[in-house]
Amino acid sequence: MITYIGIPLAVLGVLPILHTTINSLVTIHKVKQSLRHNGLFEATTRSGLMSGIMEVTLPILSITPLDREEDAEYWKLNRRPSTLKGATWTIFN
């Protein structure tokens, strides 16, 4: 009797953990693919498979603005803007 009730309950108890693990693996793969597509090869990604928490550490860069009067590139649009969410500012040089 315990076998007929206990095994299905154990399987049902493991399903949420398996779902979180698979969802975490798929999401971290999509994040890494998006970072590679945008040229951020130095970014570090970490994920907790059981908790589903993901952490992305981006490299620290220094931004130097172009001179408005002397540099013609200042007023042109970037040839390859980023497709990362929230990076609409990359349209400009």
Side-chain angles (χ1 to χ4, degrees):
M1 185 76 173
I2 293 175
T3 304
Y4 294 116
I5 295 172
I7 291 175
L9 286 177
V11 170
L12 286 175
V14 173
L15 285 179
I17 296 170
L18 291 175
H19 177 266
T20 303
T21 301
I22 292 170
N23 193 18
S24 178
L25 289 171
V26 168
T27 305
I28 199 72
H29 175 72
K30 288 180 181 179
V31 167
K32 284 182 179 182
Q33 189 177 24
S34 177
L35 290 170
R36 266 183 271 144
H37 176 72
N38 288 289
L40 294 170
F41 299 106
E42 303 87 25
T44 305
T45 55
R46 291 183 288 275
S47 67
L49 296 179
M50 300 297 273
S51 64
I53 297 173
M54 285 163 222
E55 182 180 333
V56 178
T57 306
L58 298 173
I60 298 173
L61 302 172
S62 175
I63 299 174
T64 306
L66 299 171
D67 190 81
R68 290 183 185 193
E69 284 79 27
E70 295 179 16
D71 215 341
E73 290 291 318
Y74 182 85
W75 300 105
K76 293 182 182 175
L77 295 179
N78 196 350
R79 290 182 215 104
R80 195 174 148 238
S82 176
T83 57
L84 291 173
K85 292 181 180 179
T88 55
W89 54 270
T90 61
I91 294 171
F92 304 106
N93 281 328

